[in-house]
Amino acid sequence: QTYLQWIVHRVPETVRSSGTTKNYVEKGPITMDAPTYNLPGVGAKTEKGLAAAGVNTVGDVVDAFRQRGCDRSAMFQFLKDTLPKAHPIGLRRLLKWLAANEAQGGADHG
């Protein structure tokens, strides 16, 4: 077995950090009433920061994007102002999802 075959076919090991096993939670389907942590690039700290700004659901994030004319740079600035310690990669993942969601017609919610 070559090294490449071993890499491709090996079973992933449990990731350990400081002696504890990290638990990965499947996020589930993204609906407009789902919590913000279901969005790509949104973790626990980002979710708390968004909640402090009154953005609690996926629908709230989509509304904020639409209020900014679906402008990714305006939304990025809003996110940076709201979440000053957030990593840009996570924010860009969120922006990419928002843009793709709007390109597909978005989802209306009440």
Side-chain angles (χ1 to χ4, degrees), residues 14-77:
T14 303
V15 178
R16 292 192 170 266
S17 173
S18 305
T20 61
T21 303
K22 291 183 179 180
N23 295 322
Y24 295 99
V25 178
E26 190 171 323
K27 292 190 172 190
I30 299 177
T31 61
M32 289 298 121
D33 59 344
T36 55
Y37 70 78
N38 286 61
L39 291 168
V42 177
K45 289 181 182 178
T46 302
E47 179 187 23
K48 287 179 185 176
L50 289 171
V55 180
N56 298 302
T57 66
V58 172
D60 294 339
V61 175
V62 171
D63 285 344
F65 186 57
R66 289 177 179 164
Q67 288 171 358
R68 286 156 184 79
C70 298
D71 180 7
R72 291 173 72 166
S73 61
M75 186 65 178
F76 184 79
Q77 191 57 51

Side-chain angles (χ1 to χ4, degrees), residues 1-22:
Q1 184 179 31
T2 67
Y3 179 73
L4 183 58
Q5 290 170 331
W6 177 78
I7 290 291
V8 170
H9 298 292
R10 74 183 180 133
V11 176
E13 298 175 12
T14 303
V15 178
R16 292 192 170 266
S17 173
S18 305
T20 61
T21 303
K22 291 183 179 180

Side-chain angles (χ1 to χ4, degrees), residues 32 58 62 65-66 95-107:
M32 289 298 121
V58 172
V62 171
F65 186 57
R66 289 177 179 164
L95 289 171
K96 185 176 180 180
W97 181 87
L98 285 167
N101 184 54
E102 285 301 309
Q104 294 174 1

